[in-house]
Amino acid sequence: MIPIVPVDASTQPGEPATRHDISHYMRRGTLQLAALPPLSLYVHLPWCLKKCPYCDFNSHEMRAQDLPEQRYIAAVVADLEAALPLIWGRTIHSIFIGGGTPSLFSPASIDRLLGDIRARLRLEPQCEITLEANPGTFEKDRFRAYRQAGGTRLAVGVQSFNDAHLAAIGRVHDSAQALAAVEEAAQAFDTFNLDLMYALPGQTMAQLEQDVATALQFAPPHISIYHLTIEPNTYFAKFPPVIPEDDTAYAMLDRITELTGAAGLDRYEVSAYAKPGHRCKHNLNYWQFGDYLGIGAGAHSKLSFAHRVVRQVRFREPRLYMEHALAGNAVAQDADVARGDLPFEYMLNALRLRFGFGLRDFTERTGLAVTAIAAALDEAERKGLLERDFARVRPTERGFDFLSDLQALFLSNTD
Ligand SMILES: C[S@@+](CC[C@H](N)C(=O)[O-])C[C@H]1O[C@@H](n2cnc3c(N)ncnc32)[C@H](O)[C@@H]1O
Ligand code: SF4
């Protein structure tokens, strides 16, 4: 999942952001960044066969045969070309093709998309290229074809292996399809991720344990496990299901960490568990406050320049996005991050990591002196929410359990 970040709306819906030439981003500003961070590329493919009742992602229902695959890829490539001056000379550290349901797109389309990206950008030699895939959208050998197209990592949206729970959360697939998809992912890719959710409607601890045990049978190198959250403006917000009590959900999370730990998966981020050497490079770059160019409908970008950090958002509605992107104007919002917002934005990401962050990294990524967060660090340490030495800061067990309280301490810090 992409970390959600606040963005100042600088334009009205439907109206492109002012198109700046490159000198706009290079002009003097309030920050002084010593170096630019690694740069990742995110590509959003915004369609799904059916909207899940809990989902607030930018995903829109579409029948597979109606997908405008070629027009959409042309729009994404036009979007990339218009953005090139902002990332001139920089190397791409990782690519993530997310959605929506990217596996609705044919392997030939993914091949074309990756070819068009490679023709325009220099990729790091070991560039991680992840594709999100849903069970129920794949036929035999499709995953192998994504591998041949250049994908190096597959993220399979399993959610659960229990038919009753899959039905309760409105998934289009059943457990047999989930099992088949994971089996094929394990065969086709050296590294892959399973997305699971817990605290599902009617789920008991024993059923959760069964889901985790089934997942672990495939020896996954990486698992992401999310607590089902009821997001505003979703079907579940209007018609809430009965979900396990908070205490049960906390106990479930402890059990997940125990079971995955015993299988050699380390909880390196709030929701992410990996075997050594299989951490997700792309998501790590978000959490370490690296840069990302997000192209595709509704995609978010964060880009650093010598004197500013900029956030952009593309048009969200796919039809509108394609029109604007093909006209060279996909950006709906474009704003500098205010100097005073940088500490909180940094902590929203970095404190999700079990191993925390280096104080030098904070300064390098935000252009701010450590004094900008000194008072908040002291308070968090006094409250037992984080521990530190002269070089590093990391959340304690308690800080990890009360993460939003810890992050909130950095809210109003300006220097
Ligand atoms: C961007 S979604 C898309 C992945 C893919 N389309 C799918 O649903 O399988 C990535 C993951 O976020 C998680 N997710 C989405 N909405 C959620 C919610 N309301 N609560 C918890 N996890 C959620 C799911 O595990 C999902 O696989
Ligand atoms: S398949 Fe994934 S992206 Fe699509 S609606 Fe369901 S949760 Fe959202």
Side-chain angles (χ1 to χ4, degrees), residues 48 50-52 54-55 57 59 99-101 134 171:
C48 295
K50 184 172 157 287
K51 183 81 179 170
C52 300
Y54 55 85
C55 175
F57 286 89
S59 60
T101 304
N134 286 26
R171 297 291 291 186

Side-chain angles (χ1 to χ4, degrees), residues 273-297:
Y273 303 74
K275 293 213 168 124
H278 290 275
R279 288 175 177 171
C280 176
K281 281 174 69 177
H282 187 85
N283 286 341
L284 266 177
N285 194 39
Y286 292 145
W287 297 320
Q288 292 175 328
F289 214 53
D291 278 1
Y292 48 95
L293 174 66
I295 53 178

Side-chain angles (χ1 to χ4, degrees), residues 159-166 168 196-215 225 242-244 248 252 255-256 259:
Q159 319 311 345
S160 169
F161 292 100
N162 178 307
D163 279 330
H165 296 147
L166 287 170
L196 295 173
M197 292 195 291
Y198 70 97
L200 302 176
Q203 191 178 40
T204 63
M205 179 65 98
Q207 290 168 327
L208 178 267
E209 285 172 351
Q210 185 57 52
D211 261 356
V212 176
T214 307
I225 308 190
V242 180
I243 48 176
T248 312
M252 285 178 168
R255 192 74 184 116
I256 289 165
L259 292 170

Side-chain angles (χ1 to χ4, degrees), residues 340-355:
D341 291 342
L342 279 166
F344 180 62
E345 290 213 6
Y346 185 88
M347 298 306 164
L348 268 185
N349 291 287
L351 291 174
R352 296 181 63 92
L353 290 167
R354 195 78 203 83
F355 48 86

Side-chain angles (χ1 to χ4, degrees), residues 35 39 53 117 147 166 182 194 210 212 306 335 357 378 380 392 413:
L39 173 66
I117 290 171
R147 177 79 192 88
L166 287 170
V182 181
L194 304 184
Q210 185 57 52
V212 176
F357 63 92
D378 286 346
R392 288 199 73 80
N413 277 274

Side-chain angles (χ1 to χ4, degrees), residues 134-145:
N134 286 26
T137 63
F138 95 114
E139 67 270 358
K140 191 139 182 41
D141 292 335
R142 181 171 274 229
F143 291 175
R144 234 178 273 281

Side-chain angles (χ1 to χ4, degrees), residues 92-97 106-118 123-132 141-154 188-191:
I92 300 296
H93 169 77
S94 61
I95 300 177
F96 196 103
I97 304 177
S106 68
S109 293
I110 299 298
D111 186 47
R112 175 180 161 203
L113 174 64
L114 287 175
D116 286 347
I117 290 171
R118 281 180 200 282
L123 311 189
E124 273 180 17
Q126 300 302 320
C127 186
E128 175 190 274
I129 303 180
T130 305
L131 184 89
E132 270 181 351
D141 292 335
R142 181 171 274 229
F143 291 175
R144 234 178 273 281
Y146 290 139
R147 177 79 192 88
Q148 271 155 16
T152 65
R153 184 173 182 272
L154 203 70
F189 284 82
D190 296 336
T191 192

